[in-house]
Amino acid sequence: MSSPYKGIEKAEVAIKWDPSPPGQPPHDLDIIAATYVADAPYGKPAYLVHFDSRSPDGTIALDRDSRTGQGLGFDEVMSFELDRLAPAFVRVVVGVVVQQTDGRLTFGDVAGTGVRVRSGYTELATDDLARVAGATAATVAEFRRNGAGGWEFHDTVRGFDTDPVSFAALMGTAPAC
C-alpha cells in the first residue's frame, strides 16, 4: 500500500557570520553534507558535498560560497533535492566547519554566526551556534528517510572539536549516550 505522505522534497541549509575585525585574517565557515546508505547508515559517508563540489547526481549543491562572511543575510547556501536521491540513501547529515587557516578558531570566536534550515518557505530550524561555542565544527541538520520513503528533518546541533577533514569522517556517527 502506498502512502500519500511525501515528506520533505526539497530543503536548503544556509549559514551566516560577520566578517573578521579589521586587520585580522578572514573567518571562513563552510557547509558540508554527507550521505549515508541503508547498509551503513552510521558508517562511512557514501560521498561528501562541500565547497567546489556537488553530488554526483546533482541533488545536493552549494549554491553560494563565502570565504569572508561579507554580504547581507546568509553568506553560504546549500540546496538539497531529497526527492531525487536514489532509494539507497537513507540519511543526509549537514554540518558546518570553521576553517583553521590562521590558528584555532571556534564558533565562539566568530561573531554573528547563524544557521537556517528550511523547506520552501517553511522554516524548519534556526540556531546561532552559541550552544557549541567551543567547537570547531558542528552538525546542524539531519534528513532521514522514513519507512514510507519520505524524508524527515531532525534538528541535530552537535559540536565537535576537530579539523575539517576529521569532521567529515565523524559527523555521521551516532551520538554517545
Side-chain angles (χ1 to χ4, degrees):
M1 179 174 186
S2 66
S3 169
Y5 176 72
K6 293 182 181 181
I8 298 171
E9 295 177 342
K10 293 178 179 30
E12 173 188 278
V13 175
I15 60 173
K16 67 178 181 173
W17 67 99
D18 292 342
S20 59
Q24 298 294 316
H27 296 154
D28 184 9
L29 276 61
D30 287 310
I31 301 173
I32 299 176
T35 59
Y36 299 88
V37 294
D39 292 344
Y42 293 92
K44 182 179 175 186
Y47 61 81
L48 298 171
V49 179
H50 49 79
F51 59 92
D52 294 333
S53 73
R54 62 185 289 157
S55 63
D57 59 4
T59 58
I60 303 172
L62 186 63
D63 299 325
R64 190 171 22 184
D65 182 23
S66 173
R67 297 180 192 271
T68 63
Q70 292 177 321
L72 299 174
F74 287 88
D75 305 302
E76 197 156 305
V77 179
M78 186 174 280
S79 61
F80 301 82
E81 293 182 65
L82 299 168
D83 60 334
R84 290 187 45 229
L85 271 172
F89 295 102
V90 296
R91 287 179 74 219
V92 177
V93 178
V94 185
V96 177
V97 297
V98 181
Q99 290 295 334
Q100 305 294 317
T101 54
D102 292 299
R104 185 177 186 279
L105 287 175
T106 65
F107 290 112
D109 297 323
V110 180
T113 57
V115 176
R116 178 188 69 207
V117 181
R118 65 183 184 182
S119 178
Y121 295 107
T122 303
E123 196 168 272
L124 302 173
T126 60
D127 198 285
D128 63 5
L129 300 176
R131 62 182 141 164
V132 292
T136 58
T139 56
V140 296
E142 181 177 343
F143 299 97
R144 285 187 225 148
R145 197 181 295 266
N146 63 26
W151 288 91
E152 297 175 341
F153 169 72
H154 297 269
D155 190 2
T156 59
V157 176
R158 185 173 133 210
F160 294 80
D161 189 13
T162 187
D163 63 273
V165 173
S166 298
F167 174 63
L170 294 171
M171 63 191 283
T173 59
C177 295

